[in-house]
Amino acid sequence: MAGTKAADGKDQAGGSRGRRADAQRNVNAILEATQELLSTDPTASMQEVARAAGVGRVTLYSHFGSRTELLDAVFTRVMAEADRALADVDLSGDERQALARLVRSSWRLVQQSRLLLFAAQLELPQGQIREHHDGALERVESLIRRGRRNRTFRTDLPASWMVTVFYSVIHGAADEINAGRLTAERAPNMITATLLSAFAPTVPAT
């Protein structure tokens, strides 16, 4: 009898682990499908997501109660991937050259997920989107503070404001491309030139 109960317990534990594994596979499939879909169609519906992920609407909504909740989860995933990619950028040496390298790497990531960002802007509060960038922006702030110490960058404006300028210029470039007023090819050089000019030390008036 005891042996039967133990066996039943093992069967139940195994079944529970199997259900959790199935649920995690569904979540991963949903997130991957959403990221891929929204990168080409920022208005894709939950029904289209379910179809692309190979799950039913009931399964989709059991994991993500709304499109906003799903978008937040996808954006969290994308920014975690971006943060890992930016960790490999060489920020040593002259701060201006390091900033140019960081801009190019950051822009490549923004360009890859530009329409996903647009989808997020349609549903998520701006403050929430900015919070998703906190990890990446810590790297930007560290570079700016180093440049300020070395007098490579201006010191008359708060470092936090200069970080906001970096964030706003890169995202502004994405918006300009979406509006058809800027090409993706020209964007990196324009962003770099704008930021280097904005961050340059002030010259005393003569």
Side-chain angles (χ1 to χ4, degrees), residues 23 29 35 41 45 54 63 76 112 119 139 145 152 164 177 186 189 196 202:
Q35 184 173 341
D41 179 10
S45 67
H63 293 294
T76 298
Q112 289 168 9
R139 195 166 284 105
R145 290 191 181 280
T152 308
T164 297
I177 290 175
R186 294 186 62 197
N189 288 338
L196 287 176
T202 55

Side-chain angles (χ1 to χ4, degrees), residues 28-112:
N28 290 339
I30 291 167
L31 292 176
E32 288 172 8
T34 304
Q35 184 173 341
E36 186 174 341
L37 261 181
L38 295 182
S39 294
T40 56
D41 179 10
T43 64
S45 67
M46 293 289 273
Q47 183 173 347
E48 289 171 311
V49 168
R51 189 182 306 120
V55 301
R57 284 173 57 88
V58 172
T59 298
L60 173 59
Y61 278 102
S62 71
H63 293 294
F64 302 99
S66 66
R67 191 171 185 274
T68 300
E69 186 180 333
L70 175 58
L71 264 170
D72 186 61
V74 171
F75 212 65
T76 298
R77 173 189 171 114
V78 168
M79 289 311 303
E81 293 171 353
D83 197 39
R84 288 192 293 271
L86 291 177
D88 293 332
V89 179
D90 178 15
L91 298 182
S92 61
D94 181 85
E95 289 81 14
R96 287 162 296 203
Q97 294 175 11
L99 180 68
R101 291 193 293 272
L102 185 58
V103 165
R104 289 194 174 277
S105 295
S106 299
W107 176 250
R108 276 197 298 270
L109 296 170
V110 170
Q111 176 61 10
Q112 289 168 9

Side-chain angles (χ1 to χ4, degrees), residues 170-192:
I170 287 187
H171 283 251
D175 292 340
E176 287 296 287
I177 290 175
N178 289 337
R181 293 188 291 265
L182 179 64
T183 64
E185 293 73 24
R186 294 186 62 197
N189 288 338
M190 291 183 64
I191 294 168
T192 301

